[in-house]
């Protein structure tokens, strides 16, 4: 196009016609098909790394410098064997510290998992929940536990045999249970109060259904023996002392009154 121009500095001298000695014109003329080939390009600036990349590079440099500073060196007068032994001991101590930290982490994780299990220790401080599940308030639970005395010879897992009417019940025989004695009693009371199925109790307490059945049978027999030793009737002197005056006059030999209600029901013909 007629309006497009280019600086003459981009052409080599041989691209121009030689000036005539007789010509007074200062304008230089290009030869046909002359091509600009002289260019001075500025160097392309490098792309700056991102902030994250710069931080990573700086961290690596700092780490390398720290590691170079921590490179163990033999102490003055220390032989190569002593130096190698010291390095090995330091490595073992570091490994032991890492293992101790891992053990502590595992303990904390186990403690957290145990706190999420359905166990007596996790609900004993919640009076409402304890009473709903077992029917016992914390005070009554303590009294029942004192009467049963399941710790008497049971925790040793060897001999806790009680005899009554020729029957023997062994609590704690066999391999150690995954549940504590408090958990076993709570399982039994939940069964009696709420009527939960054995499979459901096994899921709640994370034990096998066969274990649930054995625990319930064991504790029912044990409670029958323990509670059967408690005197049910008061002494005659206590009855006579607390007897109302009207009973003292009309029924002086009355020891106990049993209130009963009769309900008529259909009886199968086979009975």
């Amino acid at each position: 196009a007629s309006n497009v121009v280019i600086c003459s500095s981009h052409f080599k001298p041989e691209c121009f016609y030689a000036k005539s000695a007789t010509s007074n014109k200062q304008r230089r003329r290009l030869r046909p098909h002359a091509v600009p080939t002289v260019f001075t390009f500025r160097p392309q600036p490098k792309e700056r790394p991102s902030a994250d990349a710069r931080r990573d590079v700086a961290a690596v440099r700092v780490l390398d410098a720290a590691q170079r500073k921590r490179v163990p060196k033999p102490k003055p007068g220390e032989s190569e064997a002593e130096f190698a032994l010291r390095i090995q001991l330091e490595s073992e101590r570091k490994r032991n510290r890492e293992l101790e930290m891992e053990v502590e982490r595992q303990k904390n994780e186990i403690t957290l998992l145990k706190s999420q299990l359905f166990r007596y220790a996790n609900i004993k401080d919640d009076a409402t929940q304890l009473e709903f599940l077992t029917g016992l308030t914390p005070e009554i639970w303590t009294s029942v536990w004192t009467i049963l005395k399941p710790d008497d010879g049971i925790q040793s897992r060897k001999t806790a045999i009680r005899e009554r009417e020729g029957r023997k019940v062994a609590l704690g025989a066999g391999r150690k249970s995954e549940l504590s004695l408090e958990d076993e009693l709570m399982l039994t009371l939940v069964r009696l109060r709420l009527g939960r199925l054995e499979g459901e109790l096994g899921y709640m307490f994370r034990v096998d259904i066969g274990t649930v059945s054995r625990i319930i049978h064991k504790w029912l027999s044990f409670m029958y023996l323990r509670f059967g030793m408690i005197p049910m009737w008061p002494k005659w002197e206590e009855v006579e002392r607390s007897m109302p005056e009207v009973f003292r006059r009309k029924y002086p030999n009355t020891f106990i009154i049993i209130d009963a209600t009769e309900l008529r029901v259909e009886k199968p013909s086979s009975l």
Side-chain angles (χ1 to χ4, degrees):
S2 59
N3 296 330
V4 177
V5 295
I6 188 169
C7 180
S8 61
S9 299
H10 296 296
F11 293 90
K12 294 182 178 181
E14 56 267 25
C15 295
F16 297 95
Y17 284 110
K19 287 185 178 183
S20 174
T22 58
S23 176
N24 295 326
K25 295 182 178 180
Q26 299 295 327
R27 188 172 182 181
R28 305 170 69 184
R29 294 179 60 199
L30 283 170
R31 294 179 182 274
H33 309 294
V35 177
T37 57
V38 180
F39 295 95
T40 303
F41 295 101
R42 295 177 60 186
Q44 186 72 14
K46 294 183 179 180
E47 183 179 356
R48 189 181 184 189
S50 64
D52 292 339
R54 294 198 302 273
R55 281 195 296 268
D56 292 341
V57 172
V60 170
R61 290 175 179 173
V62 171
L63 181 61
D64 290 342
Q67 289 178 347
R68 286 194 296 270
K69 291 181 180 178
R70 289 198 300 265
V71 172
K73 297 179 180 180
K75 296 180 180 180
E78 187 178 37
S79 65
E80 292 185 2
E82 293 173 342
F83 173 68
L85 180 60
R86 178 168 61 85
I87 296 302
Q88 183 179 0
L89 290 176
E90 291 178 357
S91 176
E92 292 296 334
R93 291 192 187 100
K94 181 180 178 181
R95 178 58 177 166
N96 288 340
R97 287 194 295 269
E98 293 175 353
L99 291 175
E100 289 174 357
M101 294 175 61
E102 179 64 18
V103 169
E104 189 65 24
R105 188 188 67 81
Q106 294 285 352
K107 287 182 178 179
N108 294 335
E109 185 175 350
I110 291 174
T111 302
L112 177 61
L113 292 175
K114 285 184 176 180
S115 66
Q116 299 172 352
L117 291 175
F118 194 80
R119 295 292 187 266
Y120 170 76
N122 297 335
I123 67 168
K124 64 180 181 180
D125 297 327
D126 190 342
T128 303
Q129 189 72 1
L130 181 64
E131 186 173 2
F132 170 75
L133 292 171
T134 65
L136 306 179
T137 63
E139 294 78 13
I140 298 178
W141 173 282
T142 302
S143 300
V144 170
W145 190 262
T146 303
I147 294 173
L148 291 175
K149 295 180 181 178
D151 290 330
D152 183 14
I154 297 179
Q155 288 290 10
S156 63
R157 317 302 299 178
K158 292 181 180 179
T159 305
I161 299 177
R162 300 293 181 267
E163 297 186 9
R164 187 170 186 264
E165 298 177 358
R167 298 177 58 216
K168 294 184 178 180
V169 179
L171 282 179
R175 70 181 183 89
K176 188 175 181 179
S177 173
E178 298 178 6
L179 304 179
S180 66
L181 295 176
E182 291 88 347
D183 296 333
E184 292 183 357
L185 177 59
M186 185 174 73
L187 183 150
T188 305
L189 295 178
V190 171
R191 167 72 168 177
L192 294 176
R193 174 173 171 77
L194 302 179
R196 297 289 177 85
L197 300 178
E198 292 182 354
E200 186 178 4
L201 291 172
Y203 179 80
M204 292 169 59
F205 287 85
R206 295 294 190 271
V207 293
D208 184 76
I209 186 172
T211 302
V212 173
S213 179
R214 288 191 295 271
I215 288 174
I216 293 175
H217 175 74
K218 175 178 64 178
W219 274 92
L220 290 179
S221 300
F222 183 69
M223 287 191 291
Y224 168 75
L225 296 176
R226 283 298 198 190
F227 290 139
M229 300 177 184
I230 300 175
M232 182 177 179
W233 309 112
K235 296 181 179 180
W236 171 252
E237 292 77 8
E238 296 177 357
V239 173
E240 189 176 18
R241 185 168 56 254
S242 60
M243 182 182 296
E245 189 61 31
V246 63
F247 274 82
R248 198 184 301 278
R249 292 195 307 267
K250 293 186 177 182
Y251 312 103
N253 297 325
T254 302
F255 185 78
I256 189 171
I257 298 175
I258 300 177
D259 187 13
T261 301
E262 291 186 2
L263 296 176
R264 294 184 177 275
V265 296
E266 295 183 4
K267 185 176 68 172
S269 58
S270 58
L271 298 179

PDB file of all heavy atoms in Angstrom, residues 13 17 22 26 28 36 56-57 62 64 79 152 157-158 202 237 241 249:
ATOM      1  N   PRO A  13      23.034  -2.467   3.059  1.00  0.00           N
ATOM      2  CA  PRO A  13      23.440  -1.452   2.070  1.00  0.00           C
ATOM      3  C   PRO A  13      23.261  -1.904   0.626  1.00  0.00           C
ATOM      4  O   PRO A  13      22.931  -1.100  -0.251  1.00  0.00           O
ATOM      5  CB  PRO A  13      24.911  -1.215   2.395  1.00  0.00           C
ATOM      6  CG  PRO A  13      25.028  -1.561   3.853  1.00  0.00           C
ATOM      7  CD  PRO A  13      24.089  -2.703   4.059  1.00  0.00           C
ATOM      8  N   TYR A  17      20.122   1.334  -4.342  1.00  0.00           N
ATOM      9  CA  TYR A  17      20.871   1.769  -5.527  1.00  0.00           C
ATOM     10  C   TYR A  17      21.994   2.683  -5.066  1.00  0.00           C
ATOM     11  O   TYR A  17      21.843   3.431  -4.101  1.00  0.00           O
ATOM     12  CB  TYR A  17      19.963   2.518  -6.512  1.00  0.00           C
ATOM     13  CG  TYR A  17      19.050   1.625  -7.306  1.00  0.00           C
ATOM     14  CD1 TYR A  17      17.672   1.621  -7.073  1.00  0.00           C
ATOM     15  CD2 TYR A  17      19.556   0.810  -8.331  1.00  0.00           C
ATOM     16  CE1 TYR A  17      16.819   0.818  -7.794  1.00  0.00           C
ATOM     17  CE2 TYR A  17      18.691  -0.008  -9.058  1.00  0.00           C
ATOM     18  CZ  TYR A  17      17.342  -0.003  -8.769  1.00  0.00           C
ATOM     19  OH  TYR A  17      16.497  -0.821  -9.487  1.00  0.00           O
ATOM     20  N   THR A  22      26.248  12.891  -9.696  1.00  0.00           N
ATOM     21  CA  THR A  22      25.688  14.143 -10.224  1.00  0.00           C
ATOM     22  C   THR A  22      24.349  14.478  -9.610  1.00  0.00           C
ATOM     23  O   THR A  22      23.793  15.540  -9.874  1.00  0.00           O
ATOM     24  CB  THR A  22      25.528  14.037 -11.750  1.00  0.00           C
ATOM     25  OG1 THR A  22      24.691  12.925 -12.048  1.00  0.00           O
ATOM     26  CG2 THR A  22      26.900  13.835 -12.422  1.00  0.00           C
ATOM     27  N   GLN A  26      18.874  13.445  -1.669  1.00  0.00           N
ATOM     28  CA  GLN A  26      19.336  12.686  -0.518  1.00  0.00           C
ATOM     29  C   GLN A  26      18.547  11.399  -0.310  1.00  0.00           C
ATOM     30  O   GLN A  26      18.901  10.565   0.515  1.00  0.00           O
ATOM     31  CB  GLN A  26      19.231  13.562   0.759  1.00  0.00           C
ATOM     32  CG  GLN A  26      20.083  14.811   0.695  1.00  0.00           C
ATOM     33  CD  GLN A  26      21.558  14.481   0.638  1.00  0.00           C
ATOM     34  OE1 GLN A  26      22.011  13.485   1.222  1.00  0.00           O
ATOM     35  NE2 GLN A  26      22.324  15.296  -0.110  1.00  0.00           N
ATOM     36  N   ARG A  28      17.187   7.801  -0.707  1.00  0.00           N
ATOM     37  CA  ARG A  28      17.753   6.544  -1.167  1.00  0.00           C
ATOM     38  C   ARG A  28      16.652   5.685  -1.766  1.00  0.00           C
ATOM     39  O   ARG A  28      15.536   5.643  -1.262  1.00  0.00           O
ATOM     40  CB  ARG A  28      18.437   5.811  -0.011  1.00  0.00           C
ATOM     41  CG  ARG A  28      19.479   6.681   0.680  1.00  0.00           C
ATOM     42  CD  ARG A  28      19.955   6.001   1.953  1.00  0.00           C
ATOM     43  NE  ARG A  28      20.740   4.796   1.679  1.00  0.00           N
ATOM     44  CZ  ARG A  28      21.204   3.987   2.625  1.00  0.00           C
ATOM     45  NH1 ARG A  28      20.959   4.222   3.905  1.00  0.00           N
ATOM     46  NH2 ARG A  28      21.916   2.919   2.285  1.00  0.00           N
ATOM     47  N   PRO A  36      13.613  -6.596   3.939  1.00  0.00           N
ATOM     48  CA  PRO A  36      14.236  -6.184   5.207  1.00  0.00           C
ATOM     49  C   PRO A  36      14.712  -7.406   5.993  1.00  0.00           C
ATOM     50  O   PRO A  36      13.953  -8.323   6.267  1.00  0.00           O
ATOM     51  CB  PRO A  36      13.122  -5.441   5.939  1.00  0.00           C
ATOM     52  CG  PRO A  36      11.872  -5.994   5.369  1.00  0.00           C
ATOM     53  CD  PRO A  36      12.163  -6.333   3.919  1.00  0.00           C
ATOM     54  N   ASP A  56       7.290 -23.135  47.334  1.00  0.00           N
ATOM     55  CA  ASP A  56       7.815 -24.505  47.349  1.00  0.00           C
ATOM     56  C   ASP A  56       9.332 -24.504  47.153  1.00  0.00           C
ATOM     57  O   ASP A  56      10.060 -25.242  47.830  1.00  0.00           O
ATOM     58  CB  ASP A  56       7.143 -25.334  46.259  1.00  0.00           C
ATOM     59  CG  ASP A  56       5.669 -25.569  46.540  1.00  0.00           C
ATOM     60  OD1 ASP A  56       5.270 -25.401  47.714  1.00  0.00           O
ATOM     61  OD2 ASP A  56       4.928 -25.885  45.597  1.00  0.00           O
ATOM     62  N   VAL A  57       9.791 -23.690  46.215  1.00  0.00           N
ATOM     63  CA  VAL A  57      11.238 -23.624  45.965  1.00  0.00           C
ATOM     64  C   VAL A  57      11.969 -23.098  47.198  1.00  0.00           C
ATOM     65  O   VAL A  57      13.017 -23.618  47.591  1.00  0.00           O
ATOM     66  CB  VAL A  57      11.520 -22.731  44.742  1.00  0.00           C
ATOM     67  CG1 VAL A  57      13.022 -22.484  44.589  1.00  0.00           C
ATOM     68  CG2 VAL A  57      10.967 -23.372  43.481  1.00  0.00           C
ATOM     69  N   VAL A  62      15.319 -24.038  52.010  1.00  0.00           N
ATOM     70  CA  VAL A  62      15.500 -23.980  53.467  1.00  0.00           C
ATOM     71  C   VAL A  62      15.743 -25.369  54.039  1.00  0.00           C
ATOM     72  O   VAL A  62      16.601 -25.570  54.902  1.00  0.00           O
ATOM     73  CB  VAL A  62      14.273 -23.323  54.128  1.00  0.00           C
ATOM     74  CG1 VAL A  62      14.345 -23.449  55.645  1.00  0.00           C
ATOM     75  CG2 VAL A  62      14.180 -21.854  53.730  1.00  0.00           C
ATOM     76  N   ASP A  64      16.942 -27.990  52.453  1.00  0.00           N
ATOM     77  CA  ASP A  64      18.277 -28.466  52.059  1.00  0.00           C
ATOM     78  C   ASP A  64      19.352 -27.831  52.935  1.00  0.00           C
ATOM     79  O   ASP A  64      20.300 -28.505  53.370  1.00  0.00           O
ATOM     80  CB  ASP A  64      18.532 -28.130  50.585  1.00  0.00           C
ATOM     81  CG  ASP A  64      17.666 -28.965  49.661  1.00  0.00           C
ATOM     82  OD1 ASP A  64      17.154 -30.000  50.123  1.00  0.00           O
ATOM     83  OD2 ASP A  64      17.488 -28.582  48.488  1.00  0.00           O
ATOM     84  N   SER A  79      36.517 -42.095  66.871  1.00  0.00           N
ATOM     85  CA  SER A  79      36.895 -43.001  65.788  1.00  0.00           C
ATOM     86  C   SER A  79      35.713 -43.226  64.854  1.00  0.00           C
ATOM     87  O   SER A  79      34.573 -42.881  65.168  1.00  0.00           O
ATOM     88  CB  SER A  79      37.379 -44.329  66.356  1.00  0.00           C
ATOM     89  OG  SER A  79      36.313 -44.992  67.019  1.00  0.00           O
ATOM     90  N   ASP A 152     -17.483 -61.070  93.719  1.00  0.00           N
ATOM     91  CA  ASP A 152     -17.034 -62.067  94.672  1.00  0.00           C
ATOM     92  C   ASP A 152     -16.633 -63.350  93.939  1.00  0.00           C
ATOM     93  O   ASP A 152     -17.441 -64.244  93.722  1.00  0.00           O
ATOM     94  CB  ASP A 152     -18.148 -62.353  95.684  1.00  0.00           C
ATOM     95  CG  ASP A 152     -17.704 -63.344  96.746  1.00  0.00           C
ATOM     96  OD1 ASP A 152     -16.496 -63.586  96.849  1.00  0.00           O
ATOM     97  OD2 ASP A 152     -18.580 -63.865  97.455  1.00  0.00           O
ATOM     98  N   ARG A 157     -12.243 -65.141  87.082  1.00  0.00           N
ATOM     99  CA  ARG A 157     -12.635 -66.012  85.979  1.00  0.00           C
ATOM    100  C   ARG A 157     -12.357 -67.487  86.283  1.00  0.00           C
ATOM    101  O   ARG A 157     -12.188 -68.289  85.377  1.00  0.00           O
ATOM    102  CB  ARG A 157     -11.906 -65.635  84.679  1.00  0.00           C
ATOM    103  CG  ARG A 157     -11.805 -64.170  84.393  1.00  0.00           C
ATOM    104  CD  ARG A 157     -13.161 -63.516  84.315  1.00  0.00           C
ATOM    105  NE  ARG A 157     -13.955 -64.077  83.252  1.00  0.00           N
ATOM    106  CZ  ARG A 157     -15.211 -63.710  82.999  1.00  0.00           C
ATOM    107  NH1 ARG A 157     -15.795 -62.809  83.751  1.00  0.00           N
ATOM    108  NH2 ARG A 157     -15.879 -64.241  82.016  1.00  0.00           N
ATOM    109  N   LYS A 158     -12.316 -67.838  87.551  1.00  0.00           N
ATOM    110  CA  LYS A 158     -12.019 -69.235  87.888  1.00  0.00           C
ATOM    111  C   LYS A 158     -13.211 -69.914  88.544  1.00  0.00           C
ATOM    112  O   LYS A 158     -13.818 -70.804  87.971  1.00  0.00           O
ATOM    113  CB  LYS A 158     -10.795 -69.293  88.817  1.00  0.00           C
ATOM    114  CG  LYS A 158      -9.495 -68.864  88.121  1.00  0.00           C
ATOM    115  CD  LYS A 158      -8.323 -68.970  89.071  1.00  0.00           C
ATOM    116  CE  LYS A 158      -7.031 -68.543  88.355  1.00  0.00           C
ATOM    117  NZ  LYS A 158      -5.862 -68.618  89.255  1.00  0.00           N
ATOM    118  N   GLY A 202     -27.284 -58.316  70.561  1.00  0.00           N
ATOM    119  CA  GLY A 202     -25.953 -58.608  70.044  1.00  0.00           C
ATOM    120  C   GLY A 202     -25.415 -57.471  69.200  1.00  0.00           C
ATOM    121  O   GLY A 202     -24.236 -57.126  69.267  1.00  0.00           O
ATOM    122  N   GLU A 237     -42.418 -60.830 115.253  1.00  0.00           N
ATOM    123  CA  GLU A 237     -42.410 -59.710 116.181  1.00  0.00           C
ATOM    124  C   GLU A 237     -42.594 -58.382 115.448  1.00  0.00           C
ATOM    125  O   GLU A 237     -43.306 -57.487 115.920  1.00  0.00           O
ATOM    126  CB  GLU A 237     -41.090 -59.685 116.969  1.00  0.00           C
ATOM    127  CG  GLU A 237     -40.897 -60.844 117.939  1.00  0.00           C
ATOM    128  CD  GLU A 237     -40.489 -62.118 117.225  1.00  0.00           C
ATOM    129  OE1 GLU A 237     -40.208 -62.045 115.994  1.00  0.00           O
ATOM    130  OE2 GLU A 237     -40.470 -63.191 117.866  1.00  0.00           O
ATOM    131  N   ARG A 241     -45.836 -55.956 115.896  1.00  0.00           N
ATOM    132  CA  ARG A 241     -45.606 -54.590 116.355  1.00  0.00           C
ATOM    133  C   ARG A 241     -46.236 -53.561 115.417  1.00  0.00           C
ATOM    134  O   ARG A 241     -46.698 -52.512 115.841  1.00  0.00           O
ATOM    135  CB  ARG A 241     -44.105 -54.354 116.480  1.00  0.00           C
ATOM    136  CG  ARG A 241     -43.750 -52.993 117.061  1.00  0.00           C
ATOM    137  CD  ARG A 241     -42.284 -52.885 117.440  1.00  0.00           C
ATOM    138  NE  ARG A 241     -41.386 -53.171 116.310  1.00  0.00           N
ATOM    139  CZ  ARG A 241     -40.697 -54.296 116.202  1.00  0.00           C
ATOM    140  NH1 ARG A 241     -40.768 -55.241 117.141  1.00  0.00           N
ATOM    141  NH2 ARG A 241     -39.911 -54.495 115.151  1.00  0.00           N
ATOM    142  N   ARG A 249     -57.477 -56.979 117.028  1.00  0.00           N
ATOM    143  CA  ARG A 249     -58.670 -57.465 117.734  1.00  0.00           C
ATOM    144  C   ARG A 249     -59.361 -58.593 116.970  1.00  0.00           C
ATOM    145  O   ARG A 249     -59.759 -59.591 117.563  1.00  0.00           O
ATOM    146  CB  ARG A 249     -59.660 -56.308 117.946  1.00  0.00           C
ATOM    147  CG  ARG A 249     -59.167 -55.245 118.927  1.00  0.00           C
ATOM    148  CD  ARG A 249     -60.324 -54.350 119.362  1.00  0.00           C
ATOM    149  NE  ARG A 249     -61.031 -53.787 118.240  1.00  0.00           N
ATOM    150  CZ  ARG A 249     -60.749 -52.589 117.693  1.00  0.00           C
ATOM    151  NH1 ARG A 249     -59.734 -51.873 118.169  1.00  0.00           N
ATOM    152  NH2 ARG A 249     -61.438 -52.143 116.663  1.00  0.00           N
TER     153      ARG A 249
END
